[in-house]
Amino acid sequence: GESVGLHLPTLSVQEGDNSIINCAYSNSASDYFIWYKQESGKGPQFIIDIRSNMDKRQGQRVTVLLNKTVKHLSLQIAATQPGDSAVYFCAENFAGNNRKLIWGLGTSLAVNP
Amino acid sequence: DTAVSQTPKYLVTQMGNDKSIKCEQNLGHDTMYWYKQDSKKFLKIMFSYNNKELIINETVPNRFSPKSPDKAHLNLHINSLELGDSAVYFCASSRQGETQYFGPGTRLLVL
């Protein structure tokens, strides 16, 4: 369960551009998906979630897309701002697993001014 | 403020010592968690309690012992600390099966 040998993927974007962060999830039985944002020195913070009966959900400046066919989840951030710089995690959840979240490795988003 | 809080925020200690981290939530949630985050930001679930009952107990050395005195508190006691225990430990809470809310983390450094 450790991340030895793995590197945190990094996405670098210009301020004002749109960002797309991708996530491949592992379990076809997963029915609930969540995106978290973790800023430096802080705990993960809930951004947006989506259930498996939907393929798109929009929030404020963020959109989550779910493709169950290929087990793929993405987070789109519109008009990326410096305050969006953080590590973003996807997590999946399914009944029968004690509702234990399965976490992705995270993607570091760097916003260039 | 409604939140998940942890104490201490920083903990620096010698190998072999015993230490505790405390967590409290005032969100009215029935489920609490402990996570360990390593230097590469990998988040690993350690324990989860639902209504004071242990429901998740991952492969964690038995030097780590969680205790939930009530639904609002989940503490983590670590015996005989080792260098590899250095990490950030996060507490989280949720209603069972719903979104988890995280505390600010406890940065543990074992020397």
Side-chain angles (χ1 to χ4, degrees):
Chain A
E2 294 295 336
S3 62
V4 174
L6 296 172
H7 298 281
L8 195 66
T10 299
L11 175 66
S12 186
V13 300
Q14 290 297 122
E15 183 178 355
D17 287 352
N18 296 334
S19 303
I20 300 176
I21 300 170
N22 295 304
C23 178
Y25 64 91
S26 60
N27 194 320
S28 54
S30 293
D31 58 4
Y32 181 51
F33 305 88
I34 312 164
W35 280 101
Y36 282 87
K37 172 187 181 183
Q38 186 178 18
E39 296 176 81
S40 181
K42 297 184 179 179
Q45 179 185 15
F46 170 83
I47 304 173
I48 192 167
D49 58 2
I50 188 168
R51 297 199 179 271
S52 58
N53 60 353
M54 302 172 70
D55 52 23
K56 180 178 180 178
R57 190 161 188 226
Q58 288 186 289
Q60 190 176 15
R61 282 201 308 119
V62 294
T63 302
V64 56
L65 298 177
L66 174 63
N67 185 331
K68 293 183 287 292
T69 304
V70 296
K71 294 193 288 186
H72 184 266
L73 194 66
S74 68
L75 178 72
Q76 300 179 1
I77 305 173
T80 313
Q81 301 168 1
D84 296 325
S85 295
V87 177
Y88 290 81
F89 293 95
C90 65
E92 60 186 290
N93 199 347
F94 60 95
N97 192 34
N98 268 330
R99 281 295 176 183
K100 182 175 70 176
L101 285 180
I102 301 169
W103 290 81
L105 288 177
T107 297
S108 177
L109 176 65
V111 182
N112 303 313
Chain B
D1 287 344
T2 55
V4 181
S5 58
Q6 294 178 230
T7 54
K9 186 168 182 179
Y10 298 97
L11 185 52
V12 181
T13 188
Q14 298 287 333
M15 256 192 332
N17 284 350
D18 303 337
K19 291 292 179 186
S20 290
I21 309 171
K22 297 189 175 186
C23 178
E24 176 181 3
Q25 55 93 7
N26 59 6
L27 298 166
H29 291 161
D30 56 8
T31 306
M32 295 185 73
Y33 311 80
W34 277 112
Y35 284 87
K36 179 180 180 181
Q37 187 174 48
D38 66 17
S39 58
K40 291 185 170 62
K41 301 294 187 183
F42 183 67
L43 267 168
K44 183 179 187 300
I45 182 76
M46 300 173 71
F47 303 103
S48 176
Y49 273 74
N50 176 254
N51 288 317
K52 295 175 25 178
E53 181 184 341
L54 183 66
I55 57 169
I56 296 174
N57 186 357
E58 292 295 284
T59 307
V60 175
N62 58 14
R63 299 182 294 103
F64 290 78
S65 51
K67 280 193 173 51
S68 181
D70 55 56
K71 286 197 302 184
H73 295 85
L74 180 62
N75 303 323
L76 183 66
H77 188 76
I78 316 170
N79 287 327
S80 303
L81 277 154
E82 300 178 357
L83 294 177
D85 298 332
S86 296
V88 184
Y89 292 84
F90 286 102
C91 176
S93 73
S94 72
R95 295 191 196 285
Q96 192 174 19
E98 297 185 8
T99 302
Q100 295 180 21
Y101 292 85
F102 283 76
T106 295
R107 285 135 193 89
L108 172 65
L109 178 60
V110 183
L111 302 174

